[in-house]
Amino acid sequence: MQLPPDASERGQPALVSVILPVHNAQQWLDECLMSVLKQDFEGTMELSVFNDASKDQSMTIIEKWKMNLEDSGIPVVIGGHDSPSPRGVGYSKNQAIIQSTGSYLCFLDSDDVMMPQRVRLQYEAAVQYPTSIVGCQVRRDPPDSTERYTRWINQLAPDQLLTQVFTSHGPTVIMPTWFCSRAWFFHVGPFDEGGKGVPEDLLFFYEHLRKGGGVFRVDHSLLLYRYHLYAATHSVLEMTIWTHRVHFLEEQALPGWESFTIWNAGKQGRRLYRSLSAASRRKVVAFCDVDENKIKKGFYCHEDSQDLTGGEFEDNLKSLHLQEGRDFIHFS
């Protein structure tokens, strides 16, 4: 396995490092690496690859492309390990960053494809917003996969990139589109290295927000974002994401609210209420909904509901009118 050379031994640092973790990606790498070669960015750029114990032909493909990329003025640094098991996406990204030199980091998943203008447009935005994570719009492959999620990625209004961080299932700009300054990354990071099942991107995103970071999206489709069953995101349990979401909400938003209403009197609204700490539950003054099937007589009492199921539970749920001046949360 090739070890990464020390950055100080590789001449002048690049302006942008493309960060590419790789694990058993042979079927996508040719397209991915071709998209690095086709970038129209005129500044200095390098590719930093970290191989996380691939057992297929990924390294053969990378070595083949190394010569083509370097002949075109894009240095390639390759690191990795050949342990029996991979150490995870967080570890691989951290290692690829450590061995790189760029003042800016452009994250790329090995199964995705960049549009030629991606690095140029996101670099321009990152210079303008030095403490932001810069994302972009995407095209999904296959085109009909996760249609609702893709619309959400692409159509959030600028203010929603921050306001929806408390209710979204993940970062409001998705990890495969991230671009940021190296200095800001190390101010926030590194990524959690817990391995399989850890949402390292969401944890980093929350820490980024805690430290006052911004969120900006370049409104051009700059990435072909693949959907397939082998993607690392499928290893993260929904309950893990939910737990982190509720914790972040209680940490960042609820301490400043004297009371609030939960907009959604269905399963998700009740689930949110049950997930809150006792102190936060005491601040809930109402559930609000517009679904007649959920608007019943009586009050929802969490303690009494523990022995109720089905229709009995619904009969004890009352959706109250939103009161003027109250904060509210829409969980869905």
Side-chain angles (χ1 to χ4, degrees):
M1 182 64 60
Q2 181 178 351
L3 296 176
D6 186 272
S8 64
E9 298 176 358
R10 290 187 277 127
Q12 292 296 318
L15 189 54
V16 174
S17 293
V18 177
I19 303 301
L20 183 64
V22 173
H23 174 67
N24 292 345
Q26 64 179 20
Q27 69 187 96
W28 303 290
L29 271 174
D30 280 318
E31 283 187 88
C32 177
L33 295 171
M34 176 63 81
S35 76
V36 176
L37 183 64
K38 288 186 173 181
Q39 291 302 297
D40 64 12
F41 180 61
E42 295 184 354
T44 55
M45 184 173 70
E46 71 175 1
L47 174 65
S48 179
V49 179
F50 190 84
N51 174 41
D52 189 19
S54 294
K55 306 304 180 187
D56 63 0
Q57 296 301 307
S58 290
M59 288 308 300
T60 301
I61 296 169
I62 290 165
E63 291 290 353
K64 178 190 72 174
W65 274 96
K66 184 177 187 292
M67 183 178 297
N68 292 337
L69 288 162
E70 293 190 337
D71 285 347
S72 298
I74 303 173
V76 179
V77 56
I78 302 171
H81 68 96
D82 53 7
S83 302
S85 300
R87 298 181 186 174
V89 179
Y91 174 81
S92 300
K93 285 186 285 202
N94 286 338
Q95 293 301 309
I97 292 166
I98 290 169
Q99 71 187 22
S100 70
T101 67
S103 300
Y104 291 85
L105 306 174
C106 175
F107 292 91
L108 177 62
D109 284 357
S110 57
D111 53 354
D112 294 336
V113 178
M114 298 193 289
M115 300 303 106
Q117 67 272 38
R118 181 193 173 187
V119 171
R120 173 173 56 84
L121 292 180
Q122 289 194 289
Y123 167 75
E124 292 170 357
V127 170
Q128 188 175 358
Y129 301 97
T131 61
S132 287
I133 289 176
V134 176
C136 66
Q137 294 176 329
V138 301
R139 286 192 296 118
R140 204 62 157 134
D141 181 48
D144 59 350
S145 60
T146 66
E147 290 179 295
R148 180 181 176 187
Y149 179 56
T150 304
R151 284 195 302 272
W152 179 79
I153 291 169
N154 291 333
Q155 296 178 8
L156 284 175
D159 64 310
Q160 291 178 313
L161 295 174
L162 286 176
T163 59
Q164 291 205 12
V165 299
F166 297 106
T167 57
S168 63
H169 193 67
T172 50
V173 288
I174 60 170
M175 172 67 218
T177 72
W178 285 8
F179 193 111
C180 66
S181 77
R182 185 183 199 86
W184 183 255
F185 174 85
F186 280 109
H187 176 68
V188 175
F191 289 109
D192 187 291
E193 297 186 356
K196 187 176 181 179
V198 174
E200 85 292 332
D201 55 344
L202 183 62
L203 296 177
F204 185 95
F205 191 68
Y206 284 165
E207 187 63 20
H208 162 76
L209 296 173
R210 289 186 185 103
K211 294 190 174 180
V215 186
F216 183 83
R217 187 187 65 219
V218 175
D219 284 337
H220 294 275
S221 181
L222 302 179
L223 190 77
L224 180 66
Y225 179 35
R226 295 193 197 275
Y227 177 84
H228 56 86
L229 295 178
Y230 304 105
T233 186
H234 295 305
S235 70
V236 181
L237 297 177
E238 189 275 338
M239 188 61 197
T240 300
I241 299 290
W242 177 270
T243 301
H244 287 300
R245 287 172 63 189
V246 173
H247 175 76
F248 189 70
L249 176 69
E250 290 198 289
E251 173 197 299
Q252 295 291 313
L254 300 191
W257 296 359
E258 293 184 2
S259 61
F260 63 95
T261 294
I262 296 176
W263 182 283
N264 187 332
K267 291 181 179 178
Q268 288 291 77
R270 300 197 304 271
R271 181 188 184 190
L272 171 61
Y273 181 82
R274 290 169 171 171
S275 300
L276 296 173
S277 67
S280 294
R281 286 201 299 268
R282 285 193 289 269
K283 294 184 178 184
V284 178
V285 294
F287 289 80
C288 188
D289 214 308
V290 294
D291 186 344
E292 290 185 2
N293 293 326
K294 298 174 186 173
I295 300 174
K296 305 289 184 179
K297 293 183 178 180
F299 289 89
Y300 168 47
C301 177
H302 171 58
E303 290 74 17
D304 293 344
S305 74
Q306 302 308 296
D307 297 325
L308 301 179
T309 58
E312 290 180 301
F313 184 92
E314 291 292 342
D315 286 339
N316 281 270
L317 178 66
K318 180 179 182 182
S319 179
L320 302 178
H321 293 293
L322 199 67
Q323 301 180 41
E324 185 177 357
R326 301 290 190 186
D327 293 302
F328 68 93
I329 302 172
H330 182 192
F331 251 63
S332 59

